Amino acid sequence: MTGQGQIDLLLKDLAIITMDPQRTFIKKGSIAIDNGVIIDLGADLDYQAKKTISVEQGVALPGLINGHMHGTLSRGICEDLKLMDWLEKICFPLDAQYTPEIIEVAEELNQLEMIMSGTTTFVDIYRHMHAAARVLERSGLRGFLTPQVIDVPKGVGETYEGNVQLYHDWHGKGNGRVNIWMGIHAPYSALPETYIKAKEFAENHGIGIHTHLCETRDEVEQCRREYNKTPVQYLHSLGVLGGKFLAAHCVHLTEADMEILAESGVTAVYNPISNMKLASGVAPVVKMRDRGIRVVLGTDSNLSNNNIDMLKEMQVAGALQKLAHMDASVLKSEEILEMATILPAQALGIDQEVGSIEKGKKADIIILDFDRPHLWPYMCNDRINNLIAHIIYSASGADVHSTIVDGKVLMENREVKTLDRKRIYEQAQEMLERLCRGAGLV
Ligand SMILES: [Zn+2]
């Protein structure tokens, strides 16, 4: 096939895992990209391109989507505490110290890590999101920014009014890469009227709501004491479930809760590493999926994980469910890859644009370099194809060679083009010291 003129970008001679509805796999082929859009893909493409990327042992797949993270900075300090001690003595005092200047650096560090580990779209719930939006505009990633609105205790989070302002200032900027949703921290930290107002605003503006839900047993018990309802029943009684609604964690659910989530069309975000590290529990992922609840994958913050590497998260996502069920056949590799690509694209309402490699979709693509001993040997014939198993159980973010969003190359051969790595490290160090001094931790 011969294209006319010169296209912007050709990704050449790669194995391609498309994640299209037929789950087409191309053993060796190319992807033609022009004006940010995939215009062709397949074997034997013949295009003249302004830029070509060819990786000898390269495997292309849709850019990964992180369904839940926080743009925090204080990774790895004050570890090994009980969850409530950690939250009350460390997290909230630190959260209160964040300024837009600190968030700008924290976001740069987080977005740099995501570019370098193959995430192309992320959902971020945290503070001073105007600063995050500025970073997102220049990093080249696709993001859903949701301010962490907290009513109780005061001063450690964002406000509903600030969330509305952020939407008006930023939604749709960066060629549609900057998206603003309503971010309400959790039923135990936000007032009922805040959820109700957020639901109304989201509906009127065609956006969604992101929140934490049923992460720990304690919060479920507290909600039962206060309202005589589980958190799911409580939010349901407020009328806020439904539409685009992304609920992080969903670890402690009753059968009746799952029925409500399924009927309302709520998407649950499974954060296996954070749930293990904070000893929160095991999300009933298989049960939720069997009931028709869409489950997607997230990393949670770099405090509770401690990285935001979706490849590593996919490995633990599978391993934890297998252990919890004492059944190695649950949650197949391809299902886990769906939870990091096409399913979150559906949850965010962008599956017509991204989430798979298909003609007419935006070019959000990553290339893994299989020139690594831990990714060999592999077979990809008609009967046996272990590439996806390698991606889920053997690969890590360090194996990502190139990251492309909207047809723009953000990283090639591990060189990031949009953010300055060394400067970010230096400033992150300085800001962490400032944060800890402010919170009285040093
Ligand atoms: Zn979280």
Side-chain angles (χ1 to χ4, degrees):
M1 196 192 286
T2 306
Q4 289 180 349
Q6 247 196 354
I7 60 164
D8 289 336
L9 179 62
L10 186 67
L11 310 178
K12 211 174 161 201
D13 297 334
L14 305 165
I16 305 168
I17 295 166
T18 65
M19 299 307 283
D20 69 6
Q22 296 74 38
R23 300 291 182 260
T24 307
F25 170 67
I26 299 168
K27 198 172 169 186
K28 202 159 189 95
S30 302
I31 305 167
I33 297 159
D34 203 33
N35 283 322
V37 173
I38 299 165
I39 57 163
D40 207 354
L41 75 157
D44 307 320
L45 296 191
D46 179 20
Y47 283 92
Q48 295 295 313
K50 289 175 200 152
K51 180 173 179 59
T52 298
I53 298 179
S54 178
V55 183
E56 209 182 333
Q57 305 293 341
V59 179
L61 64 150
L64 303 174
I65 300 176
N66 187 341
H68 177 68
M69 55 78 70
H70 306 255
T72 44
L73 189 66
S74 53
R75 181 197 325 255
I77 60 166
C78 305
E79 295 278 359
D80 309 319
L81 296 172
K82 286 199 182 290
L83 177 62
M84 288 325 273
D85 279 351
W86 180 69
L87 272 177
E88 283 165 14
K89 292 181 188 154
I90 309 297
C91 293
F92 287 156
L94 280 171
D95 284 357
Q97 293 303 315
Y98 275 89
T99 61
E101 194 190 2
I102 298 174
I103 283 292
E104 189 138 354
V105 176
E107 277 293 333
E108 284 186 320
L109 187 69
N110 278 280
Q111 294 188 33
L112 177 67
E113 185 181 352
M114 287 191 277
I115 292 172
M116 296 192 78
S117 55
T119 291
T120 55
T121 297
F122 64 101
V123 180
D124 187 345
I125 177 163
Y126 205 48
R127 304 214 58 193
H128 305 299
M129 283 285 164
H130 279 83
R134 283 197 293 277
V135 176
L136 184 53
E137 199 173 36
R138 62 178 184 267
S139 74
L141 285 170
R142 194 178 301 286
F144 286 72
L145 304 179
T146 74
Q148 185 154 274
V149 175
I150 296 181
D151 298 314
V152 194
K154 268 211 165 341
V156 301
E158 302 299 293
T159 62
Y160 170 79
E161 290 72 24
N163 199 154
V164 168
Q165 190 60 48
L166 183 77
Y167 172 84
H168 291 307
D169 291 344
W170 279 98
H171 187 69
K173 294 246 168 97
N175 194 30
R177 290 183 298 100
V178 181
N179 298 275
I180 308 299
W181 272 23
M182 305 310 282
I184 313 299
H185 178 251
Y188 59 84
S189 55
L191 298 172
E193 51 266 34
T194 304
Y195 273 105
I196 292 167
K197 281 190 290 185
K199 167 75 173 169
E200 202 176 297
F201 186 87
E203 252 173 12
N204 289 340
H205 294 82
I207 60 171
I209 300 178
H210 186 35
T211 196
H212 293 86
L213 190 61
C214 300
E215 179 177 4
T216 65
R217 194 170 285 145
D218 284 355
E219 74 183 77
V220 175
E221 276 163 20
Q222 187 191 325
C223 190
R224 279 189 195 277
R225 278 197 304 274
E226 227 164 292
Y227 300 105
N228 199 24
K229 290 181 173 76
T230 67
V232 172
Q233 288 170 330
Y234 163 70
L235 289 186
H236 188 50
S237 73
L238 298 180
V240 300
L241 298 179
K244 291 176 189 162
F245 197 103
L246 198 57
H249 300 296
C250 297
V251 173
H252 298 281
L253 300 176
T254 64
E255 294 290 329
D257 287 342
M258 283 188 260
E259 214 159 285
I260 292 171
L261 294 179
E263 271 173 24
S264 321
V266 167
T267 297
V269 190
Y270 172 38
N271 303 275
I273 298 179
S274 172
N275 294 159
M276 291 166 74
K277 185 161 180 275
L278 297 177
S280 301
V282 184
V285 169
V286 175
K287 259 191 181 174
M288 284 196 275
R289 293 196 69 172
D290 289 349
R291 284 178 172 270
I293 300 168
R294 187 190 291 116
V295 183
V296 305
L297 202 57
T299 58
D300 214 351
S301 76
N302 59 14
L303 315 185
S304 62
N305 189 310
N306 292 0
N307 61 29
I308 48 173
D309 177 347
M310 285 292 285
L311 282 148
K312 189 174 161 194
E313 202 72 33
M314 289 197 287
Q315 175 180 14
V316 178
L320 178 59
Q321 288 301 317
K322 289 171 193 302
L323 176 67
H325 287 261
M326 292 301 279
D327 178 356
S329 72
V330 302
L331 215 58
K332 312 253 181 295
S333 296
E334 192 172 284
E335 289 179 284
I336 298 169
L337 191 56
E338 287 170 355
M339 292 164 70
T341 53
I342 191 66
L343 291 180
Q346 286 169 5
L348 297 168
I350 54 171
D351 53 310
Q352 297 304 311
E353 299 172 356
V354 302
S356 60
I357 300 177
E358 291 180 70
K359 258 191 224 180
K361 281 199 171 182
K362 292 183 174 173
D364 284 18
I365 298 168
I366 59 171
I367 302 172
L368 299 187
D369 188 353
F370 265 50
D371 183 1
R372 307 274 198 274
H374 60 271
L375 299 175
W376 282 75
Y378 65 85
M379 292 180 77
C380 49
N381 59 40
D382 291 340
R383 293 191 59 209
I384 296 179
N385 183 341
N386 60 354
L387 281 189
I388 291 183
H390 280 7
I391 289 166
I392 303 300
Y393 289 110
S394 302
S396 79
D399 301 321
V400 177
H401 177 282
S402 294
T403 301
I404 296 149
V405 176
D406 242 358
K408 189 174 169 195
V409 181
L410 307 187
M411 178 175 80
E412 182 180 358
N413 201 12
R414 299 209 60 72
E415 190 199 319
V416 177
K417 318 260 186 197
T418 53
L419 296 171
D420 179 350
R421 206 172 71 230
K422 294 235 165 79
R423 178 190 57 75
I424 293 169
Y425 292 162
E426 271 172 33
Q427 287 190 331
Q429 198 67 29
E430 190 189 317
M431 294 299 166
L432 176 64
E433 280 162 26
R434 193 190 292 183
L435 256 185
C436 289
R437 268 199 309 275
L441 295 175
V442 288

